[in-house]
Amino acid sequence: MVSATDIDAPATIQTGEKFRDDPVGCGKKNLTDAKYVTRSIKQEKFPSGGQISVCAAIEIVLIRDRDNRADYIWQVDAAAVYFGLGGLQYSQFEVYVDVPIYAEVAQPDLAHWYVQSSPSYLDEHIQPIGDMTIQNEQIAYSSGTIFKSANYPQYVHELSNTEKFIRLNTSDVSRKKISVDYYHPAIHVMSRAKILNTETRRMTDYEIKTAATLDKK
């Protein structure tokens, strides 16, 4: 496995910089307010002129209490782009979010992660992406992983229109006993690719990843 070098990985939005013609997100143009977005881009460039680029972006949306439960919602965007790689044989794309949580629960308690197309808890495209157990000794909690792959030359992986928002849902017990650090989540993006050198017939695995962490007061 060859790890990509960090050629250009800005921690926050840079004026004039774009990813797939998107100045704020990663190509879906669903993140609009740069004041509340953090984005990171990483690239691996090849001598042949091809490159792999990955992008991660996350934006604060809202906190909502309802029916003795609490929802913490972030808008996200992520993508992996494989450009000028005629020998691309396989690609894999993974995305997840983690958030600091400070717990004072006497017994472990369960919370739930979802992806959806809107911030509404009545959204018709809600998909569960994992349960998580909250317990006192933990300080960081990760969602389940959004996973996509292709065993043929697919040159873009991205989140779909039903994966625009990530929601953390906690129970009444947790809501009273935990503090979710809503303003400092991180979105993680990873790509793995198998690329065939058409001259040597040698197959090489490449891995590239980045993360964007919100740092809002």
Side-chain angles (χ1 to χ4, degrees):
M1 182 73 69
V2 178
S3 294
T5 54
D6 184 350
I7 296 173
D8 182 14
T12 56
I13 294 294
Q14 302 294 318
T15 302
E17 183 174 6
K18 295 182 180 181
F19 187 92
R20 298 170 64 208
D21 293 324
D22 189 339
V24 178
C26 300
K28 301 294 284 189
K29 297 182 174 65
N30 59 335
L31 303 179
T32 58
D33 192 344
K35 180 179 179 181
Y36 297 104
V37 175
T38 295
R39 181 178 69 170
S40 181
I41 301 167
K42 189 173 285 189
Q43 298 174 336
E44 166 78 349
K45 296 183 178 180
F46 297 88
S48 63
Q51 72 178 39
I52 302 172
S53 301
V54 293
C55 173
I58 188 166
E59 177 179 31
I60 290 172
V61 177
L62 62 90
I63 301 171
R64 176 178 54 223
D65 280 338
R66 62 172 182 87
D67 301 330
N68 295 321
R69 302 186 70 85
D71 286 319
Y72 304 85
I73 303 170
W74 300 273
Q75 192 163 4
V76 295
D77 199 3
V81 178
Y82 312 90
F83 176 77
L85 299 173
L88 181 65
Q89 304 294 303
Y90 172 84
S91 56
Q92 180 178 319
F93 177 64
E94 298 181 11
V95 181
Y96 70 92
V97 167
D98 62 33
V99 60
I101 298 180
Y102 308 99
E104 296 180 4
V105 291
Q107 296 179 341
D109 194 44
L110 197 63
H112 312 278
W113 291 94
Y114 302 92
V115 291
Q116 49 200 77
S117 61
S118 77
S120 172
Y121 66 90
L122 299 175
D123 184 272
E124 59 186 31
H125 299 291
I126 293 173
Q127 305 170 60
I129 54 168
D131 300 330
M132 74 178 184
T133 301
I134 296 173
Q135 47 195 357
N136 287 339
E137 60 266 27
Q138 287 182 261
I139 58 172
Y141 294 80
S142 298
S143 72
T145 299
I146 301 168
F147 177 88
K148 303 175 189 292
S149 66
N151 57 2
Y152 53 88
Q154 178 166 322
Y155 296 105
V156 176
H157 285 297
E158 62 184 353
L159 297 183
S160 72
N161 289 332
T162 62
E163 297 166 333
K164 289 182 178 181
F165 296 84
I166 288 186
R167 174 166 61 95
L168 170 63
N169 177 252
T170 63
S171 73
D172 187 45
V173 172
S174 293
R175 187 165 59 90
K176 294 176 179 178
K177 296 293 185 180
I178 69 172
S179 174
V180 175
D181 191 350
Y182 173 72
Y183 296 97
H184 297 91
I187 180 170
H188 301 260
V189 177
M190 186 275 295
S191 168
R192 292 192 179 100
K194 291 182 180 292
I195 299 175
L196 176 68
N197 186 312
T198 55
E199 294 182 358
T200 65
R201 309 305 298 173
R202 178 185 175 187
M203 190 85 75
T204 303
D205 293 346
Y206 289 90
E207 179 178 296
I208 179 171
K209 54 188 174 181
T210 193
T213 303
L214 273 171
D215 188 17
K216 307 300 179 185
K217 305 299 183 183

